[in-house]
Amino acid sequence: MSVLVALALIFAQLSLLAFGGGNTILPEMQRQIVDVHHWMSARDFSAMFALAQAAPGPNMMVVTLIGWHVAGWPGVVVASIAKFGPCSLLTGLVLQVWDRFKDHRWRRIVQAGLIPVTIGLVAASAALITAASDHEWILAAITAASAAVMIATRLHPLWVLAAGALIGLTGVGLP
């Protein structure tokens, strides 16, 4: 199977599984990219995800970066279309039905059921990225402290990121 076909299959499948946002598919994306196809290490995947999150634009820019890393410009095009195409079409179709049944009880039940699923998938994604990124105990402590601050306060996330960047400039956690 060619690399472009593999990219298309992986991201088309992930596109249709992304309930609650693109970050919910990160564990499976990493498994496919790192463990199944060995296109990069877990650490490289984590770094690429961080770079994509820091860049302006959609939060799933990591897909485009993975496409670039794996197959250059053809990889960018194939990965991006495969990831964003199927879910966009499905969302457009489902929204029409979803809006038509907006007053039905089953719709509220489905929405209530999707909330814990989404929370679990986002938590799994956070755990995966943390495990791949925090290779020193001090980095794990900084991540835990950042998460605690974000949960306990209404501090804007950019302040927490800025604090992390300043700590990173000191060289903490470097091997």
Side-chain angles (χ1 to χ4, degrees), residues 51-143:
L51 177 63
Q53 290 298 297
N59 72 344
M60 282 280 79
M61 289 296 291
V62 69
V63 170
T64 304
L65 291 176
I66 290 170
W68 175 265
H69 177 82
V70 172
W73 281 109
V76 166
V77 173
V78 167
S80 297
I81 289 173
K83 169 59 184 83
F84 301 114
C87 63
S88 297
L89 290 173
L90 183 63
T91 300
L93 294 171
V94 170
L95 275 180
Q96 294 175 4
V97 174
W98 198 248
D99 192 48
R100 184 167 13 132
F101 294 106
K102 65 183 173 190
D103 297 326
H104 286 71
R105 185 170 183 256
W106 67 264
R107 183 180 148 172
R108 287 190 298 275
I109 293 170
V110 169
Q111 280 181 291
L114 287 175
I115 291 171
V117 170
T118 302
I119 290 170
L121 289 170
V122 170
S125 297
L128 178 120
I129 292 299
T130 300
S133 303
D134 293 347
H135 37 85
E136 300 288 335
W137 73 267
I138 188 70
L139 297 175
I142 292 169
T143 300

Side-chain angles (χ1 to χ4, degrees), residues 39-56:
W39 287 328
M40 66 183 69
S41 69
R43 199 171 190 173
D44 290 342
F45 183 89
S46 177
M48 202 168 281
F49 176 73
L51 177 63
Q53 290 298 297

